Amino acid sequence: MTEMNKTQPSNIPFEEPNLNFIPLGISENRAGNYDNYLRITLFHIQKIKKYLSKKSLQSHVQNEKNLDEFLKENKKILLLDLDETLIHADFLEDPAENEDLKNSYDAIISFYTIEEQTNNNIPNNNDNTDNNTTDDESKDDSCEKVLNKVGIFLRPKVKEFLQEISQYFLIGIYTASIPEYADAVINYLDPEEKYIKFKLYRNDCVNVCDMLRVKDLSLFGEENLDKIVLLDNNIYSFSAQLSNGILINSFFCDKSDDELSNVRKYLIEYILPSDDVRKVNEQFFGFETILQNFVK
């Protein structure tokens, strides 16, 4: 499994805009609230889209040689978000302190972070926040290596989904979480590295005003966007290329959830045979059309 090396930092200098809104939380993307969620988030996106210019986005493009090997394969690329898309992680509870809760998790993952000695909090991996930077920085005696243990819930049929979809699509993870945590989750989901071929992390996202992290697909090259889709529960994540996004309801720990079965059918029956995934997505979801109506 490949980690893509970055050639430039991802903290892109933006002219600070006054966005004048608070992004909706991922809990608002739930069954029964779809239309309301879309109406509000797309109204927000039309405000931030002008700050996501091609020049700004491409300033964080990674080493193209690392991407070329995947783009040359005769497969469409499916990018998957992690948190509340494939799994839900419980950062609010310490699994070691509650035996009953511990037994309710599907797994408990472990990962190390480098933290200041005065801060022993487990890092927050919410896609909408900018906490706990753990990239290579100067580390002195005031920092220590901390072991974190987090309980996770698997979205029903997630492993079966990865196994089957990998036969048709080249799968990559694109998460706004830190690498240490994301790798621990990915290693649990795909321990033999059979299905997930590459990984993109928090520093591969565009940080918009410390409010949002946008997963910019232009790093694959504009000419390749006709064969790339991003499955995410956070519509802000694919606000730079709305027609490449597939919005899935947020998952927390509902064992009756069947969203991945619906997505699997859509991917195989509609996205797989398409000449341009953006045209199919737009016909089904109409995100860009709704956005243009806001602009008008």
Side-chain angles (χ1 to χ4, degrees), residues 9-10 12-15 50-61 206 216 218:
S10 64
I12 299 171
F14 280 88
E15 178 182 350
K50 62 182 177 180
Y51 301 105
L52 302 178
S53 67
K54 182 185 297 186
K55 181 177 180 181
S56 294
L57 290 172
Q58 290 184 338
S59 68
H60 85 298
V61 170
V206 179
D216 170 33
S218 70

Side-chain angles (χ1 to χ4, degrees), residues 4 58 60-64 66-68 70-71 77-79 170-174 198-200 204 215-230 241 244:
M4 301 182 185
Q58 290 184 338
H60 85 298
V61 170
Q62 300 184 19
N63 187 335
E64 293 182 358
N66 290 331
L67 294 167
D68 283 347
F70 304 109
L71 295 170
I77 294 176
L78 172 62
L79 301 171
L170 193 153
I171 298 178
I173 295 293
Y174 201 165
F198 62 91
K199 302 173 287 186
L200 298 164
D204 302 304
K215 299 172 182 179
D216 170 33
L217 305 186
S218 70
L219 58 83
F220 291 90
E222 298 288 342
E223 70 279 9
N224 295 304
L225 293 182
D226 59 348
K227 65 176 184 178
I228 300 172
V229 288
L230 168 61
Q241 295 96 6
N244 289 92

